[in-house]
Amino acid sequence: YLADFNGKPRAMPAAPAAPETHWTFEPVDGTEFVQFRNRETDRFLLAINGAAALVDAFGPDQESLSQWRLKPARDAVATAPPQRTP
């Protein structure tokens, strides 16, 4: 399970009912992307410098870091969109 472990994302074994492993997939209007928000902590999952990070909030300059595109399970990957340049 992917968990919010003391403010850091961690893949770890956990009981299915463990609240820190529950995530909400929030569609990003007008795109094919979603944002992940941890249901227990309300933190968002971002991709910062190629690594997963959790934040309480983010500004417009980090919005693209919070958007994820889901692929079919057979591809076994979720990717962040490329950085937008101003």
Side-chain angles (χ1 to χ4, degrees), residues 20-61:
E20 65 274 10
T21 64
H22 291 210
W23 298 85
T24 299
F25 292 50
E26 299 178 355
V28 177
D29 290 339
T31 74
E32 60 186 272
F33 299 107
V34 297
Q35 293 174 326
F36 293 99
R37 185 192 303 246
N38 186 277
R39 291 183 185 174
E40 174 76 5
T41 65
D42 264 351
R43 291 186 181 107
F44 289 93
L45 179 66
L46 272 62
I48 299 176
N49 295 325
L54 294 172
V55 298
D56 293 320
F58 55 89
D61 60 323

